[in-house]
Amino acid sequence: GLLGVMGWEEEIAPPVGNGSWVTNASTEIDVDWDNMDMATMSSSSLQWGPVMTLYHTTAVRWANDIVKEGFRPGHGGWCGGAIYFIDHPYLPRSKFAPGVTEAGAILEAKVRMGRMATHFDRHCKGYGGHGKWAAQHRGYDSIRFNPGDGNEFIIWHPSQVVSVRIWKILHH
């Protein structure tokens, strides 16, 4: 079931900075694409790749940190250590990583996808290997992958996130 169907409701967000209360705060993280070290990227396609609006569910405390400091790749997941998104706000329970995923906030991010690898099976195998490793070695910047419960979009370079904001604070 989707979080929205389970009785989650919007509430006032926790204090931001000076202790003021804000709902759906929009803090942008700007990326200076002109001065980016493209050698750290798998290809120059990130200069022109499509920008998608994607969503990431996390605990409120982490959401505030991500808005201030940016995303960091995780250590696990179907396709390896990376940053995982979906293309709609409400994360289905089936996508919660046991002991890892914490609900509380939904982040909305504008993500530059670059060259996207799309031919993975439901275990993130394809391109002669597995997940992020296989995609990187074939010159891709991102992955679209469906483990059977809907598409996931995966990046491994935090600089691909053009902007991020808290889309909604949830409570049970």
Side-chain angles (χ1 to χ4, degrees):
L2 299 176
L3 293 177
V5 177
M6 298 177 60
W8 294 82
E9 299 172 18
E10 184 172 7
E11 69 177 0
I12 296 175
V16 176
N18 63 6
S20 62
W21 293 77
V22 179
T23 302
N24 292 340
S26 179
T27 303
E28 302 281 328
I29 296 175
D30 292 322
V31 176
D32 183 357
W33 292 101
D34 294 330
N35 294 319
M36 182 167 298
D37 178 11
M38 293 310 289
T40 63
M41 302 289 182
S42 59
S43 78
S44 63
S45 58
L46 287 175
Q47 293 175 344
W48 56 263
V51 174
M52 293 181 68
T53 300
L54 300 172
Y55 299 88
H56 181 91
T57 297
T58 191
V60 173
R61 69 184 179 278
W62 302 127
N64 287 322
D65 287 348
I66 290 168
V67 167
K68 288 178 194 155
E69 300 169 21
F71 282 95
R72 290 184 304 205
H75 299 290
W78 278 110
C79 298
I83 304 166
Y84 288 71
F85 299 94
I86 58 174
D87 58 359
H88 52 86
Y90 295 101
L91 185 69
R93 275 281 168 204
S94 60
K95 289 194 177 293
F96 275 58
V100 176
T101 306
E102 293 182 59
I106 300 171
L107 296 172
E108 179 185 79
K110 304 289 186 190
V111 182
R112 189 170 305 278
M113 303 308 290
R115 290 186 64 227
M116 188 184 308
T118 58
H119 298 293
F120 284 97
D121 69 13
R122 62 184 298 146
H123 301 289
C124 207
K125 291 182 180 157
Y127 299 92
H130 181 262
K132 176 179 91 169
W133 180 88
Q136 281 181 304
H137 280 81
R138 298 280 185 199
Y140 291 96
D141 307 299
S142 62
I143 295 171
R144 184 188 75 217
F145 150 76
N146 186 340
D149 60 355
N151 283 332
E152 298 183 19
F153 298 86
I154 299 133
I155 62 168
W156 38 92
H157 293 294
S159 57
Q160 288 175 251
V161 178
V162 178
S163 66
V164 62
R165 71 182 183 107
I166 294 174
W167 184 79
K168 188 178 242 188
I169 300 293
L170 307 165
H171 74 92
H172 199 281

